[in-house]
Amino acid sequence: MIWVIIALIIFVLILIVTNIRVVPQSYAYVIERLGGYSSTWNVGLHVKIPFIDKIAKKVGLKERVLDFPPQPVITKDNVTMMIDTVVYFQITDPKLYTYGVEKPINALENLSATTLRNIIGELELDQTLTSRDVINTKMRAFLMKLQTLGESR
């Protein structure tokens, strides 16, 4: 009988210790309780409820760089040129990143490529080659506008 009590105490201690989590700097953990969103854990020590809580996603909050393959773009004067795109981004809402879009990196690639095509489609070839700062500013303004629309939901 005493062995059963000792085994039960050891089992409970192991269960508690294995469910203590430390969220490191520049990460956030999205927690689901019984299959639905419960909370977002930020930096620090947290305890999850065994068998009920689940870490759905560990989200890195550092700035990331994506280099997309060159894309054909048509300028205002009907010249086709290949544009190489590099996007710097940072996740600011782990919940929205986890549940908002099925494949957020693909969505970011498609959105940035479409926006770049629209911006360059309004410029002539000479303007496109000499006004990288203007293109970057327009891209940043458009993507920031989309970010604020997403945050207001």
Side-chain angles (χ1 to χ4, degrees):
M1 182 67 177
I2 198 141
W3 293 107
V4 173
I5 295 173
I6 292 173
L8 189 61
I9 290 172
I10 290 173
F11 175 73
V12 169
L13 285 175
I14 289 173
L15 198 61
I16 291 171
V17 169
T18 58
N19 284 288
I20 294 174
R21 296 283 193 257
V22 175
V23 179
Q25 184 72 32
S26 76
Y27 278 89
Y29 290 3
V30 176
I31 306 301
E32 289 181 352
R33 178 166 291 157
L34 299 174
Y37 173 78
S38 173
S39 63
T40 301
W41 288 351
N42 293 313
V43 177
L45 183 70
H46 300 276
V47 179
K48 72 183 186 82
I49 301 170
F51 311 114
I52 295 177
D53 286 348
K54 176 182 121 182
I55 298 174
K57 192 166 193 84
K58 297 177 181 180
V59 180
L61 302 176
K62 290 181 182 178
E63 187 173 81
R64 298 186 202 177
V65 179
L66 292 177
D67 187 7
F68 301 123
Q71 307 241 350
V73 178
I74 299 173
T75 62
K76 186 176 182 179
D77 49 354
N78 288 328
V79 176
T80 302
M81 59 189 302
M82 297 298 281
I83 300 292
D84 189 25
T85 310
V86 177
V87 176
Y88 292 83
F89 73 99
Q90 184 174 17
I91 298 166
T92 56
D93 186 347
K95 177 186 174 187
L96 191 58
Y97 177 76
T98 303
Y99 299 111
V101 177
E102 184 69 32
K103 296 179 180 174
I105 302 300
N106 290 349
L108 181 62
E109 179 179 7
N110 292 335
L111 180 64
S112 60
T114 303
T115 305
L116 193 58
R117 281 193 197 107
N118 289 339
I119 293 170
I120 290 180
E122 297 171 355
L123 302 173
E124 293 183 359
L125 179 63
D126 292 341
Q127 291 174 311
T128 304
L129 297 175
T130 59
S131 57
R132 177 181 281 186
D133 291 338
V134 172
I135 294 169
N136 286 341
T137 303
K138 286 183 179 182
M139 276 283 285
R140 185 174 296 120
F142 181 78
L143 293 174
M144 291 302 241
K145 183 172 137 184
L146 283 178
Q147 177 186 3
T148 56
L149 288 175
E151 289 174 353
S152 66
R153 280 198 251 164

